[in-house]
Amino acid sequence: MMAKETLVEVENLKKHFPITRGIIIQRTVGAVQAVDGISFNIFRGETLGLVGESGCGKTTAGRTILALYPVTEGTVKIDGMDVHNARKSDLLAIRCKAQMIFQDPFASLNPRWTVSAIVSEPLRVHKLYSNHQERSDAVKELLELVGLSPRLINRFPHEFSGGQRQRIGVARAVATEPCFLVCDEPISALDVSIQAQVVNLLEDLQDRLNLTYLFIAHDLSMVRHICDRVAVMYLGKIVELGSKDEIYEKPLHPYTVALLSAVPIPDPATSRKRKRIILEGDIPSPANPPAGCHFHTRCPRVFEPCDKEEPEWKDVGSGHYVACHLF
Amino acid sequence: MMDALLDIQDLKVCFHIPEGVVHAVNGISYKLNESETLAVVGESGCGKSVSMLSILGLIPLPPGEILDGKALYRGSNLLAMSEEQLEEIRGKEIAMVFQDPMTSLNPVLTIRRQVTEAFRTHIPMSQEQAETRAIELLDLVGIPDVPQRLREYPHQFSGGMRQRAMIAMALSCGPKLLIADEPTTALDVTIQAQIVELVMRMRDQMGMAVIWITHDLGVVAELADRVIVMYAGFMVEEADVHSLYQDPRHPYTIALLSALPRADRRRDRRLKSIPGAPPSLLVEPRGCPFARRCELVLERCWAENPPLDLCSPNHKIACWVDVKTGKPR
């Protein structure tokens, strides 16, 4: 394999949303620390999975990486360009290279626009084709690329099923020939038989167009299938990162261990023999996260330093990192 | 032979909407024994929820219409009962837990009010008795500091806690049958594991039967004794849980299982996807509903809907094809 080239660099990224009180004079009384200092690299051509439970900040992280939210602290570089300090023209160039696929194929397509208008919008914004005819040909090609018939170009989103809509979303995302895609739960709104279609499409496109994915998901089985490396998030922080087989076979962080033991396995012979770790309680509020290690309130292996000191981000070898006092 | 707790015979349900008739449930029949756990699996729109709601009189008529069938609960037909008779059974003998714990709790009433209402409708008791019972129940389902939390409103509960409160309400009258309609779909995996464990523990303690409606074949593997697979309003396969996973016989079940990735294994192949999408329920069903997406489709599949019959002991499929050979059965 060739030396790995870093495409996306995320350095100590923080995104806090202010909590305000008062109607006319708004005072900031606190902050939801949705993403609280995460760092990782994504190599060109790979798929990095970002997993965690709802409210852990994975969607916010994805959106902040693409500058859909202004950043609170930290830097994001995509192909060498600083996303949050770019001039407007540079930001447009970055957006051309980095696109997003959204979770809900029903909410992310304008119901009053035809497929043609939806898929050609990025082409118009980035002025990629000079005339209408060329754009229209490009749209037809894109639809074919994602497995939809070019004849459907003048239909509206409501005429499509969930899986087909997600294909339209994918066509729109790859229209500008990006190199980096943030896929925010692209399959979680779809039925099982349709999920596999969309996942296979994403894999085919990755091969054909040499794409790099940040795959945000809570379905840990699908993440193992599609990703090369996996980062596990809990309450705004990444607690563990490593190659997928390392993470799934030798998880270190007690949260990762518990999360994996809770994943249902579609095979009664295996799943009934398995020892499950059932975590007590719920995720604490990100507006008021626990001191020290954020996980210590639910951790089955909590010990002395956990509620006081924040664990360091440690390299445990072969690209496997963990933030836990046990290691 | 022991009498079944619930015996559904040829249930057919449709909905009349401006666009036409939605054929939601197209003749399903099965039996559920006392203290058995049955999972009903299928994708959205396959009729798994509607079939349960309709036997409890919980679908609006119209637009809904029960075209045919019987639902015998301990020998008496739920579909022929008056609303008063049904109220005696619903909540007391047969309880239900719904998918979304936020919308099935009333946001303006306290948890105490809602939990006590559940059993005061069926068992006359004083305010204090009711309160004591509510505390016991919420304690049983693992809600911390119950006396304090009883005064709170649903929005102050997390998703997992709300679902626990719903389960407490459902169990309050000691039902013989608990129908759980996708109770963990809106929850995270670690919370899902808590709820699955809770329902299984309650089932074993109280000796009740459970019907668990879900689209998640992973959860089914964990808790079911027997499984029914539904597709487009039809039952396509029925088997005990081990046979279904080790030896699935309907092409749809086989395709579903091979479309699922596994978290406990290294990747060994691309996912096998099922082409196309489920059929529109607005079209009158003709032939096998899965024919259009089936790899093994035969001439006969287009014209005649296969009946659900035995392919081996305790294992039924609705298919004309023997999946092992690809030839007619």
Side-chain angles (χ1 to χ4, degrees):
Chain A
M1 210 173 128
M2 286 194 308
K4 287 178 190 163
E5 180 200 347
T6 303
L7 180 69
V8 182
E9 274 180 87
V10 178
E11 187 70 52
N12 191 30
L13 185 73
K14 287 189 184 175
K15 176 65 198 172
H16 296 179
F17 294 99
I19 305 169
T20 56
R21 195 161 281 165
I23 297 165
I24 299 165
I25 305 163
Q26 294 205 333
R27 291 169 299 133
T28 304
V29 293
V32 175
Q33 296 159 29
V35 176
D36 198 23
I38 60 171
S39 306
F40 56 85
N41 293 337
I42 308 176
F43 303 114
R44 196 182 281 278
E46 80 164 345
T47 303
L48 177 71
L50 189 57
V51 301
E53 296 177 276
S54 41
C56 74
K58 54 192 191 301
T59 295
T60 306
R63 294 188 169 206
T64 314
I65 287 169
L66 291 186
L68 295 176
Y69 291 144
V71 72
T72 306
E73 212 182 300
T75 54
V76 177
K77 282 184 185 163
I78 298 177
D79 211 2
M81 289 199 278
D82 187 335
V83 175
H84 291 279
N85 292 310
R87 279 179 304 157
K88 221 177 162 194
S89 58
D90 287 340
L91 187 60
L92 204 64
I94 294 169
R95 288 263 163 82
C96 200
K97 279 189 210 170
Q99 287 282 333
M100 183 142 181
I101 299 170
F102 296 92
Q103 171 171 7
D104 187 343
F106 294 83
S108 60
L109 304 178
N110 188 332
R112 290 165 187 269
W113 283 16
T114 61
V115 171
S116 163
I118 291 169
V119 177
S120 68
E121 190 187 20
L123 302 176
R124 278 179 277 134
V125 169
H126 294 286
K127 302 191 178 65
L128 291 181
Y129 294 93
S130 51
N131 65 51
H132 181 76
Q133 187 56 47
E134 279 178 31
R135 263 205 308 272
S136 166
D137 290 343
V139 169
K140 285 181 185 159
E141 231 172 85
L142 285 163
L143 289 184
E144 237 162 74
L145 186 71
V146 298
L148 289 174
S149 161
R151 283 181 295 119
L152 305 173
I153 193 161
N154 290 320
R155 301 262 183 109
F156 288 90
H158 74 264
E159 299 176 73
F160 294 90
S161 66
Q164 288 175 315
R165 283 182 211 216
Q166 203 53 294
R167 286 175 193 266
I168 298 170
V170 173
R172 174 177 63 184
V174 299
T176 57
E177 297 178 22
C179 52
F180 175 53
L181 281 186
V182 173
C183 311
D184 184 9
E185 306 247 11
I187 54 162
S188 50
L190 305 174
D191 270 318
V192 180
S193 75
I194 310 296
Q195 284 187 351
Q197 293 177 6
V198 174
V199 163
N200 287 345
L201 171 69
L202 289 174
E203 289 189 342
D204 289 342
L205 291 178
Q206 182 164 42
D207 291 345
R208 286 172 67 174
L209 309 174
N210 193 23
L211 292 169
T212 304
Y213 291 141
L214 175 63
F215 192 85
I216 301 171
H218 66 262
D219 178 345
L220 287 129
S221 314
M222 197 56 93
V223 165
R224 179 162 201 185
H225 180 79
I226 194 170
C227 297
D228 300 307
R229 290 190 305 143
V230 180
V232 183
M233 260 185 105
Y234 184 78
L235 216 58
K237 290 189 186 295
I238 294 184
V239 297
E240 189 162 5
L241 188 151
S243 76
K244 66 169 168 189
D245 291 334
E246 279 268 322
I247 295 280
Y248 281 81
E249 282 161 23
K250 282 178 261 165
L252 294 175
H253 198 286
Y255 178 63
T256 317
V257 175
L259 193 63
L260 289 172
S261 85
V263 178
I265 305 289
D267 178 5
T270 324
S271 75
R272 293 182 187 202
K273 268 189 298 197
R274 200 157 61 121
K275 214 179 121 225
R276 304 185 84 174
I277 299 162
I278 301 209
L279 288 179
E280 302 280 316
D282 293 298
I283 305 187
S285 159
N288 185 18
C293 172
H294 284 180
F295 186 56
H296 83 259
T297 53
R298 297 172 80 196
C299 184
R301 299 179 66 185
V302 61
F303 67 116
E304 198 208 312
C306 299
D307 60 346
K308 294 177 199 79
E309 289 163 53
E310 203 179 299
E312 276 173 58
W313 186 235
K314 269 168 248 147
D315 184 350
V316 289
S318 59
H320 192 157
Y321 296 84
V322 64
C324 179
H325 288 297
L326 288 166
F327 305 98
Chain B
M1 205 182 114
M2 193 174 60
D3 259 354
L5 182 66
L6 183 69
D7 181 357
I8 296 183
Q9 297 172 4
D10 200 31
L11 180 70
K12 286 186 183 147
V13 185
C14 72
F15 290 89
H16 299 275
I17 60 165
E19 288 81 14
V21 181
V22 178
H23 301 271
V25 179
N26 300 311
I28 61 169
S29 310
Y30 60 83
K31 286 184 181 159
L32 176 76
N33 296 322
E34 303 254 2
S35 41
E36 186 183 25
T37 304
L38 175 76
V40 181
V41 199
E43 297 178 278
S44 30
C46 73
K48 55 191 191 300
S49 293
V50 170
S51 58
M52 286 300 127
L53 293 172
S54 60
I55 62 167
L56 293 179
L58 291 176
I59 56 168
L61 313 166
E65 187 187 352
I66 294 168
L67 296 170
D68 199 3
K70 281 185 189 162
L72 304 176
Y73 174 74
R74 297 188 146 170
S76 42
N77 187 2
L78 296 171
L79 299 179
M81 281 183 192
S82 67
E83 188 58 25
E84 290 78 46
Q85 289 172 309
L86 209 50
E87 251 161 32
E88 272 303 297
I89 289 182
R90 204 165 50 198
K92 193 174 173 190
E93 300 266 320
I94 306 178
M96 200 154 175
V97 177
F98 297 94
Q99 172 172 358
D100 187 346
M102 192 63 216
T103 50
S104 35
L105 287 168
N106 189 330
V108 298
L109 299 180
T110 59
I111 293 292
R112 177 196 1 228
R113 171 80 189 274
Q114 299 189 55
V115 174
T116 52
E117 184 195 13
F119 50 84
R120 290 183 85 187
T121 341
H122 294 290
I123 309 162
M125 58 170 75
S126 72
Q127 185 73 45
E128 281 105 72
Q129 283 175 313
E131 173 120 8
T132 321
R133 177 108 176 96
I135 293 176
E136 269 172 33
L137 279 166
L138 292 182
D139 217 32
L140 191 70
V141 296
I143 290 179
D145 2 298
V146 179
Q148 160 68 30
R149 304 221 71 167
L150 270 179
R151 287 196 288 276
E152 295 185 348
Y153 290 88
H155 75 268
Q156 291 166 293
F157 275 48
S158 68
M161 284 299 155
R162 280 182 215 137
Q163 203 56 291
R164 284 172 192 267
M166 289 295 297
I167 291 171
M169 286 160 66
L171 300 181
S172 59
C173 298
K176 286 278 164 249
L177 168 60
L178 177 73
I179 299 176
D181 185 0
E182 306 242 14
T184 60
T185 305
L187 306 174
D188 279 312
V189 276
T190 60
I191 312 296
Q192 170 172 292
Q194 294 174 355
I195 298 293
V196 168
E197 195 259 351
L198 171 67
V199 172
M200 283 160 66
R201 199 177 73 225
M202 291 293 126
R203 171 194 70 188
D204 297 342
Q205 270 178 25
M206 303 174 62
M208 61 185 174
V210 175
I211 297 182
W212 189 287
I213 303 171
T214 182
H215 66 272
D216 187 334
L217 282 158
V219 173
V220 171
E222 237 145 67
L223 55 82
D225 299 322
R226 203 150 52 89
V227 187
I228 286 172
V229 183
M230 285 187 71
Y231 186 77
F234 292 93
M235 277 169 68
V236 296
E237 185 155 4
E238 178 184 349
D240 73 273
V241 68
H242 294 282
S243 325
L244 189 92
Y245 285 83
Q246 272 149 30
D247 187 20
R249 296 290 186 87
H250 194 283
Y252 175 63
T253 316
I254 295 171
L256 264 190
L257 285 170
S258 50
L260 279 181
R262 302 257 311 235
D264 63 333
R265 284 192 190 156
R266 290 194 178 210
R267 176 185 171 132
D268 49 2
R269 59 185 165 87
R270 250 168 91 88
L271 290 179
K272 209 163 157 257
S273 67
I274 311 176
S280 163
L281 299 174
L282 283 165
V283 183
E284 177 116 29
R286 185 163 178 270
C288 171
F290 190 60
R292 215 157 42 89
R293 304 172 80 187
C294 184
E295 283 180 345
L296 301 168
V297 64
L298 303 173
E299 201 61 48
R300 189 177 188 185
C301 303
W302 299 105
E304 284 173 81
N305 185 32
L308 187 75
D309 53 19
L310 285 173
C311 61
S312 64
N314 298 319
H315 196 150
K316 290 180 188 171
I317 52 168
C319 184
W320 295 122
V321 186
D322 179 350
V323 289
K324 300 235 161 90
T325 58
K327 302 235 167 60
R329 280 167 67 207

